[in-house]
Amino acid sequence: MAEGELSTAAVHRLIEKAGAARVGNGAVETLREIIENIAVQISKDAIELASHAGRRTVRAEDIKLASKRFIQT
Amino acid sequence: MAEGELSTAAVHRLIEKAGAARVGNGAVETLREIIENIAVQISKDAIELASHAGRRTVRAEDIKLASKRFIQT
């Protein structure tokens, strides 16, 4: 599921910020797809949480709670 | 840790694609920070995996392996 919303240039910069000496061609596109899929999954969970709280508007608190299962603590 | 690389417009579209009826102001910025942090963490793990394989270039296969702990199966 490639959403294709995030810019590859921005994703490339994130990999460089992480400390990569060199970045292969496929690495950027692969990471872009992965984080878009995670973003959509977090959003779907957040929508469900908003609905559970009786709201149609997704708020920051829904995103935070939904993201917990993706975050290492 | 707000890297500030990904566009908020793109993140907003991802939340809408997930099916949100309405998106609160803080939700986009919160999700942007979260997925940037995840992207940097995956990249750091991928750099370590590349190094472990005797390479300085981060490849798609490093990103895929590094992302496994963030992906629900």
Side-chain angles (χ1 to χ4, degrees):
Chain A
M1 180 176 61
E3 302 291 337
E5 292 293 350
L6 303 177
S7 97
T8 50
V11 175
H12 195 282
R13 285 193 297 271
L14 288 171
I15 301 177
E16 285 179 338
K17 276 190 179 180
R22 287 196 301 252
V23 184
N25 290 333
V28 176
E29 181 61 24
T30 299
L31 184 58
R32 191 187 62 73
E33 282 188 31
I34 287 166
I35 62 174
E36 289 200 353
N37 288 343
I38 291 173
V40 169
Q41 189 55 59
I42 289 174
S43 298
K44 284 181 178 171
D45 290 356
I47 291 163
E48 202 164 20
L49 291 166
S51 173
H52 184 70
R55 286 181 278 100
R56 296 185 71 234
T57 304
V58 175
R59 291 186 189 159
E61 66 210 58
D62 304 312
I63 297 285
K64 279 178 194 162
L65 185 55
S67 71
K68 275 192 177 173
R69 65 184 174 118
F70 288 97
I71 308 269
Q72 318 298 305
T73 51
Chain B
M1 179 177 63
E3 300 291 336
E5 292 292 352
L6 303 177
S7 98
T8 50
V11 175
H12 195 283
R13 285 193 296 271
L14 288 171
I15 302 177
E16 285 179 338
K17 277 191 178 180
R22 288 196 300 252
V23 183
N25 291 333
V28 176
E29 181 61 24
T30 299
L31 183 58
R32 191 187 62 73
E33 283 188 31
I34 287 166
I35 62 174
E36 289 199 353
N37 288 343
I38 291 173
V40 169
Q41 189 55 60
I42 289 174
S43 298
K44 284 180 179 171
D45 290 356
I47 291 163
E48 202 164 20
L49 290 167
S51 174
H52 183 69
R55 286 181 278 101
R56 296 185 70 235
T57 304
V58 175
R59 291 185 189 160
E61 65 209 58
D62 303 313
I63 297 285
K64 279 179 195 162
L65 186 55
S67 70
K68 275 191 176 173
R69 66 183 173 118
F70 288 96
I71 306 271
Q72 320 296 305
T73 51

